[in-house]
Amino acid sequence: MLDWPKILGGVLVLAAITWVIVEIREDGARSIKDAIERQNNDAASQSDADRSDYDRCLDGGRVWDFGARKCRGAAPGRRD
């Protein structure tokens, strides 16, 4: 004869373990998503700041050094 209380207890323990594993995975996925979103927001802010610096550099008649990501001295004179 089957021992139904033991079987039911085993099923409940298995369900509890499964629920804990699913919750841990969802929490991990949520934290990774939040970290990526923070990085994207930081990159967008830095891009806006760099674009503003670039525009101010050119408006001032200077030259933007893309390698150093900064404004350099006056633009060299042109030869005609």
Side-chain angles (χ1 to χ4, degrees), residues 24-64:
I24 290 171
R25 287 177 52 101
E26 286 178 3
D27 185 49
R30 192 176 317 117
S31 68
I32 289 172
K33 180 183 169 195
D34 290 344
I36 291 171
E37 188 172 346
R38 274 191 303 276
Q39 290 174 351
N40 285 345
N41 291 339
D42 291 343
S45 296
Q46 184 62 43
S47 174
D48 289 342
D50 286 350
R51 187 174 336 121
S52 176
D53 291 345
Y54 174 78
D55 289 342
R56 278 184 279 157
C57 180
L58 294 183
D59 289 344
R62 301 176 74 190
V63 177
W64 184 258

Side-chain angles (χ1 to χ4, degrees), residues 10-24:
V11 168
L12 289 175
V13 167
L14 183 62
I17 291 171
T18 303
W19 178 77
V20 168
I21 290 171
V22 168
E23 286 296 317
I24 290 171

